[in-house]
Amino acid sequence: MLVHWQTGCLAEHLEELLEAGEELLSQLPWTWKAPLLAVARRTGAMTDEALALLADEDLVSLDLARARALTHSGIAAAVSGLPLLRALDLSYTAFQPAALPTLAEACPLLEVLRLGGLGPKPARAAAAALLRCLPRLQQADVADSWEDLAETSAVQAGHGFTSLQYVVWPDVTPEALAHLHAHQPQLKVISAPDHPLLRASRRHRLPAAADPGVPLDQPYAEAVAQYDWEAAAAAVRARCGDEAAGSEGAKSTVAGLRELTLAERFRLAYESRAARVAVVRARNAKKEQRRALRAMGGAERALALAEHGVPLVHTRSPGRPR
């Protein structure tokens, strides 16, 4: 939950982080940049500059669907530095199908590719470019399965989409779909909601990244959404031990948290944790002291108590009965 809280704080200050530039964002791990990419795409802040700053070489999935502000050159430049990418959504973007061979060389581990928003002519070009990136299956080859043929041809080619298994393309044209099926029958092209792989009996076999009904960045978006201010206010009341503070106190706490800057929130969180740790350490120190006193003899205990300023003879209060 602490990671979700930190991610939520960063997401609320996304514009400030982008303005700070690479000097600050380069310090963040990819597990924090991925949720920020999801926020940028869903809020319309995904530009070429934002993508260049947030794209991390350790990313395994990237969702750029309907990021209208991105240019082809910006997408190509960012994706070229993601060698570990396994899932990519280019639906309704400015990415040009002719650049798919370059994408194949940059992302050889890609397993799921999402396309969409292409007209009839660009769709034919995309299908042709995609076939050039896939291992060729020669009719003269003999093997037990399509996978064996693909593996053999991939070794011969030495490059391309050697790991690509799924192409999610809901609006693929019949001509492009037939072309892909004719030349690459082992490639699973999910082209319609009634595709056999989307049936309830077989859906469990489908990777989450290949499910057209779930956005590719959904897991990262959920990580950001799990933090809410009401839960933070409840935690503040619990730490303060003021169970009777009521809703007004909670609202004021939430309002105060909203107005704080990112650095101030982290400072307050650190100070709050340090205070709790100090209380626990003091309590443990007293326990250790009492345990040590019980283990001492009578003379040693009296000497230790005297050193700490504890009176050896406890006087009774005047009004206390004998």
Side-chain angles (χ1 to χ4, degrees):
M1 291 303 295
L2 179 59
V3 174
H4 296 160
W5 180 84
Q6 293 170 335
T7 307
C9 291
L10 292 175
E12 289 193 352
H13 296 268
L14 179 60
E15 294 184 3
E16 299 174 23
L17 291 173
L18 295 176
E19 290 177 0
E22 187 176 0
E23 182 178 359
L24 178 59
L25 289 173
S26 61
Q27 307 299 322
L28 298 180
W30 75 269
T31 51
W32 287 21
K33 289 183 179 179
L36 294 180
L37 281 167
V39 173
R41 184 184 75 85
R42 293 167 181 242
T43 58
M46 182 70 80
T47 61
D48 289 347
E49 294 76 13
L51 180 58
L53 290 171
L54 295 174
D56 192 280
E57 61 180 2
D58 292 329
L59 282 174
V60 294
S61 67
L62 180 61
D63 192 345
L64 302 178
R66 301 182 184 276
R68 304 289 188 180
L70 291 175
T71 64
H72 168 74
S73 58
I75 297 175
V79 174
S80 63
L82 307 177
L84 303 181
L85 205 63
R86 294 183 178 274
L88 176 64
D89 193 339
L90 296 173
S91 304
Y92 298 93
T93 63
F95 187 80
Q96 299 174 7
L100 281 174
T102 304
L103 174 63
E105 294 181 5
C107 308
L109 302 179
L110 197 68
E111 299 175 355
V112 179
L113 177 63
R114 297 190 181 192
L115 299 173
L118 300 174
K121 188 174 181 179
R124 289 195 300 270
L130 192 58
L131 289 175
R132 290 197 300 270
C133 304
L134 293 169
R136 292 182 176 274
L137 305 181
Q138 305 296 336
Q139 293 182 354
D141 292 337
V142 178
D144 295 333
S145 65
W146 290 110
E147 289 77 7
D148 294 338
L149 287 174
E151 183 178 356
T152 303
S153 57
V155 172
Q156 295 173 353
H159 63 277
F161 285 134
T162 57
S163 301
L164 190 65
Q165 301 179 30
Y166 300 91
V167 174
V168 182
W169 198 347
D171 58 351
V172 62
T173 61
E175 181 182 357
L177 181 60
H179 194 49
L180 288 172
H181 281 166
H183 293 82
Q184 291 289 339
Q186 87 285 1
L187 184 65
K188 302 176 182 65
V189 182
I190 301 177
S191 56
D194 58 349
H195 192 277
L197 288 175
L198 299 179
R199 296 173 184 171
S201 59
R202 302 181 62 182
R203 204 180 190 99
H204 66 281
R205 304 178 185 177
L206 189 69
D211 190 342
V214 180
L216 193 58
D217 60 1
Q218 184 65 24
Y220 303 120
E222 290 177 352
V224 177
Q226 286 183 6
Y227 175 78
D228 59 75
W229 293 106
E230 294 300 330
V236 170
R237 290 200 306 272
R239 287 198 302 269
C240 296
D242 188 8
E243 297 296 340
S247 59
E248 292 300 325
K251 291 180 181 178
S252 62
T253 303
V254 173
L257 288 174
R258 287 183 183 274
E259 295 175 358
L260 295 177
T261 62
L262 179 63
E264 186 69 10
R265 290 180 190 175
F266 275 106
R267 185 185 67 80
L268 291 176
Y270 175 80
E271 291 180 353
S272 176
R273 181 182 181 278
R276 295 196 303 273
V277 170
V279 171
V280 173
R281 286 178 177 174
R283 187 185 304 119
N284 291 338
K286 289 182 179 180
K287 289 181 180 178
E288 290 294 333
Q289 184 181 7
R290 289 194 296 269
R291 190 177 296 112
L293 288 174
R294 286 195 297 269
M296 293 179 181
E300 292 178 343
R301 185 184 302 123
L303 182 59
L305 292 174
E307 289 179 353
H308 288 83
V310 179
L312 299 180
V313 178
H314 297 278
T315 59
R316 298 178 182 272
S317 59
R320 187 174 180 179
R322 293 183 178 274

